[in-house]
C-alpha cells in the first residue's frame, strides 16, 4: 500500500507516519514545508519525503495522487486564534488548497481519507454528536471563528457529493481535541496561538499564567494521539470496505472535562513531574480568568460542550480508545518538559 500524506510534518501526519513505518509494510509519500517533527523516520527507506508547499508543488502532488492508493490531505490551520485573526488565510488553505487535492483525487480515483473536525457540529445541542443525525449549528457571519468549521463542512459535503454522484470512494474522520507530543510548538506559541493543552503547558514554561476563557466552564473530550492513530490505521486498512463513504467521529466520550478541570490536572501533573519536584525545572503554575473578548477578540464564539458518539467507530472498526485524561496529559507534559530542558541546554541557558 502506498499512502500519500500532505502535511506529513504536522501533529497527525508525523505520528501517523511513525506508526505506519513501525507497524505496517506500507510506503509513505509525504510533503511538508518543514521536517522538524519527523525525527529518524526521514531516513527510513519506506518514507519518501519532499519539502514543499501544497499551494506550489502541484505537479508533485498530482503525480503522487495518481501513484498512491490513498491520500490524506492534512494541511490546514487548526487554531481558533487564527480563525479569528486571519479568516481568509483559513479559507485559502483549509478550503481552496484542499479542494484542489480532492478534485485531483477524484480525477485519478484515489481514495481520500479526509480530516474533518468536531468543530463542524458547532453549537449543536445534542448530548452526543452523531455523524449521520446531528445538526450543525454555527454562529453569525461576524463571528469569523466559524470559518474553519464552515470550510471543513463544505469539503465534507463536496466529498459526500462526489461519492453520491460519481461513486467516488472516501472516508471522513472527525477528531475531537486530540492531544499528545508534537501537538503545537510551544517555543513559538504566543497568547492564544495554539490549542488549549499546549497553550497551558507553554504558558507555564514561559512563566506566564494559564488563562481560563470565561472561567473555563466549557467542556471538551480529550483523546490521546495513539488512540487516534490506532483508529486511522484501521480506516486505512478498511477491511471489507467498511469505511467506504463513511464519516467517523474519533474522540473519547469518557474524557469529558471542563477547561477549568483541565488546568487543575495540568497544574497537578506538572508539579509532580520528577524534573519539577527535583527543582531542575523551576516553574510556578498560576491560573487566571479572562474574558473571551479580551483573549480572542469580538469574532470569537465558544462551544460549551461536545461529546462524540463513537458507536460507529466501534461497530465498523472494533475500535475503542484506551487512554484516560490523566495518562494522556502525563505523557504530553513529560514530552514538553523534556523538550524545554533540551532547548535550554542547547542554548546554554539556566532552567528557570
Ligand atoms: C479545536 C480547534 O478548532 C481544532 O484544533 C480542532 O479541529 C478541534 O478543536 C478539535 O480537535 O476537536 P477548540 O476545542 O475550541 O477547537 O480549541 P482549543 O484552542 O483547544 O480550546 C478549547 C477551549 O479552551 C475553548 O473553550 C477555549 O476558549 C479554551 N481556552 C483555550 C482557554 O480557556 N484558554 C486558553 O489559553 C486557550
Amino acid at each position: 500500500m502506498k499512502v500519500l500524506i500532505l502535511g506529513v510534518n504536522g501533529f497527525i501526519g508525523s505520528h501517523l507516519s511513525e506508526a505506519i513505518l513501525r507497524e505496517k509494510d506500507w510506503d509513505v509519500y509525504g510533503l511538508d514545508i518543514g521536517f522538524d517533527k519527523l525525527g529518524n523516520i526521514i531516513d527510513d527507506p519506506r518514507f519518501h519525503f519532499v519539502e514543499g508547499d501544497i499551494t506550489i508543488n502541484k505537479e508533485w502532488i498530482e503525480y503522487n495522487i495518481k501513484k498512491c492508493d490513498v491520500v490524506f490531505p492534512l494541511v490546514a490551520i487548526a487554531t481558533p486564534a487564527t480563525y479569528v485573526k486571519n479568516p481568509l488565510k483559513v479559507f485559502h488553505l483549509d478550503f481552496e488548497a484542499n479542494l484542489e487535492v480532492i478534485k485531483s483525487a477524484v480525477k485519478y480515483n484515489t481514495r481520500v481519507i479526509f480530516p474533518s473536525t468536531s468543530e463542524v457540529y458547532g453549537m449543536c445541542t445534542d448530548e452526543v454528536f452523531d455523524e449521520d443525525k446531528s445538526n450543525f449549528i454555527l454562529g453569525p457571519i461576524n463571528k469569523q471563528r466559524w470559518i474553519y468549521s464552515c470550510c471543513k463542512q463544505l469539503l465534507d459535503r463536496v466529498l459526500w457529493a462526489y461519492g453520491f454522484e460519481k461513486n467516488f470512494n472516501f472516508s471522513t474522520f472527525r477528531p475531537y481535541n486530540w492531544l499528545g507530543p508534537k501537538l503545537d510548538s510551544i517555543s513559538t506559541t504566543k497568547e492564544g496561538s495554539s490549542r488549549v493543552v499546549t497553550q497551558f503547558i507553554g504558558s507555564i514554561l514561559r512563566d506566564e499564567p494559564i488563562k481560563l476563557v470565561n472561567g473555563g466552564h466549557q467542556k471538551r473530550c480529550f483523546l490521546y494521539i495513539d488512540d487516534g492513530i490506532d483508529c486511522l490505521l484501521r480506516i486505512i486498512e478498511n477491511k471489507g470496505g467498511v469505511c467506504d463513504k463513511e464519516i467517523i467521529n474519533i474522540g473519547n466520550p469518557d474524557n469529558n472535562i471542563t477547561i477549568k478541570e483541565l488546568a487543575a490536572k495540568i497544574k497537578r501533573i506538572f508539579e509532580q513531574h520528577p524534573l519539577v519536584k527535583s527543582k531542575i525545572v523551576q516553574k510556578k503554575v498560576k491560573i487566571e480568568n479572562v474574558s473571551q473578548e479580551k483573549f480572542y477578540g469580538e469574532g470569537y464564539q465558544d462551544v460549551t460542550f461536545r461529546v462524540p458518539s463513537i458507536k460507529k467507530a466501534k461497530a465498523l472498526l472494533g475500535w475503542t480508545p484506551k487512554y484516560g485524561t490523566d495518562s494522556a496529559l502525563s505523557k504530553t507534559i513529560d514530552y514538553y518538559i523534556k523538550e524545554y530542558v533540551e532547548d535550554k541546554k542547547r542554548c546554554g541557558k539556566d532552567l528557570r
Side-chain angles (χ1 to χ4, degrees):
M1 170 115 68
K2 292 189 179 75
V3 181
L4 174 60
I5 305 180
L6 304 174
V8 76
N9 187 49
F11 173 49
I12 297 179
S14 59
H15 283 279
L16 180 60
S17 302
E18 264 175 42
I20 290 176
L21 297 169
R22 191 179 57 237
E23 292 173 33
K24 308 286 176 191
D25 60 0
W26 310 337
D27 278 57
V28 176
Y29 293 79
L31 176 119
D32 207 298
I33 50 173
F35 50 86
D36 58 306
K37 291 180 179 170
L38 297 174
N40 297 336
I41 63 169
I42 208 137
D43 300 320
D44 191 303
R46 285 188 288 122
F47 187 68
H48 314 275
F49 176 72
V50 162
E51 194 176 346
D53 184 319
I54 65 159
T55 62
I56 297 166
N57 296 68
K58 295 185 184 181
E59 275 180 27
W60 186 92
I61 292 174
E62 179 158 355
Y63 174 73
N64 282 280
I65 285 177
K66 193 174 168 191
K67 194 170 76 179
C68 289
D69 303 291
V70 57
V71 52
F72 276 86
L74 298 181
V75 176
I77 290 162
T79 45
T82 319
Y83 317 157
V84 178
K85 279 193 208 102
N86 302 105
L88 283 177
K89 202 169 158 190
V90 175
F91 171 71
H92 293 313
L93 190 67
D94 294 20
F95 182 77
E96 287 189 313
N98 282 290
L99 180 61
E100 281 189 43
V101 173
I102 288 171
K103 283 184 174 170
S104 179
V106 172
K107 182 172 164 193
Y108 296 107
N109 205 18
T110 302
R111 180 176 172 229
V112 171
I113 302 184
F114 184 67
S116 177
T117 171
S118 62
E119 291 252 320
V120 293
Y121 300 95
M123 297 173 288
C124 176
T125 53
D126 294 353
E127 260 175 53
V128 289
F129 297 173
D130 182 291
E131 301 94 331
D132 302 315
K133 292 192 191 118
S134 288
N135 292 320
F136 299 160
I137 304 180
L138 307 190
I141 300 300
N142 62 10
K143 300 293 177 193
Q144 64 267 25
R145 183 248 162 85
W146 299 113
I147 194 153
Y148 170 74
S149 168
C150 197
C151 288
K152 289 283 190 182
Q153 182 193 151
L154 188 49
L155 289 177
D156 287 5
R157 291 190 187 278
V158 166
L159 278 168
W160 183 266
Y162 276 123
F164 178 75
E165 284 195 32
K166 309 220 181 268
N167 201 25
F168 176 67
N169 194 11
F170 68 90
S171 306
T172 293
F173 65 98
R174 298 200 172 131
Y176 283 65
N177 292 86
W178 292 13
L179 78 153
K182 306 193 279 185
L183 174 59
D184 294 300
S185 165
I186 52 159
S187 54
T188 54
T189 47
K190 289 182 224 54
E191 187 166 289
S193 65
S194 70
R195 285 160 278 197
V196 67
V197 171
T198 28
Q199 192 68 42
F200 285 179
I201 298 171
S203 296
I204 299 170
L205 292 173
R206 289 191 303 275
D207 300 304
E208 294 163 6
I210 282 178
K211 296 204 171 140
L212 299 177
V213 173
N214 295 340
H217 302 296
Q218 56 282 44
K219 286 182 143 184
R220 294 292 186 275
C221 293
F222 293 95
L223 181 101
Y224 191 57
I225 182 73
D226 289 7
D227 279 332
I229 297 298
D230 172 24
C231 192
L232 288 182
L233 291 179
R234 293 166 196 242
I235 292 177
I236 301 173
E237 247 167 2
N238 193 22
K239 283 189 187 143
V242 286
C243 301
D244 289 356
K245 299 183 199 168
E246 289 289 352
I247 300 174
I248 300 167
N249 284 335
I250 311 181
N252 190 336
D254 295 336
N255 288 350
N256 188 19
I257 57 170
T258 65
I259 299 304
K260 194 172 174 180
E261 287 164 334
L262 175 77
K265 279 181 188 289
I266 289 180
K267 181 177 190 308
R268 182 177 47 74
I269 294 168
F270 195 92
E271 288 171 347
Q272 285 172 359
H273 192 277
L275 292 174
V276 177
K277 274 179 95 176
S278 61
K279 299 203 172 13
I280 291 172
V281 173
Q282 294 188 35
K283 300 284 167 194
K284 279 247 168 327
V285 183
K286 287 168 272 166
I287 302 175
E288 282 178 4
N289 288 325
V290 62
S291 72
Q292 66 175 47
E293 290 79 12
K294 187 152 182 255
F295 193 79
Y296 287 111
E298 291 298 328
Y300 184 75
Q301 223 172 3
D302 214 331
V303 170
T304 36
F305 61 90
R306 61 169 170 236
V307 181
S309 158
I310 53 169
K311 274 195 205 147
K312 208 198 250 191
K314 279 185 186 166
L316 298 182
L317 302 163
W319 174 81
T320 39
K322 297 182 186 69
Y323 291 88
T325 326
D326 284 14
S327 57
L329 286 170
S330 295
K331 282 168 171 287
T332 309
I333 290 169
D334 182 61
Y335 168 84
Y336 280 107
I337 290 183
K338 287 180 178 156
E339 192 197 41
Y340 171 83
V341 171
E342 284 308 309
D343 271 1
K344 291 283 170 194
K345 272 194 204 152
R346 257 196 303 277
C347 307
K349 292 190 180 144
D350 68 35
L351 293 169
R352 272 168 296 152

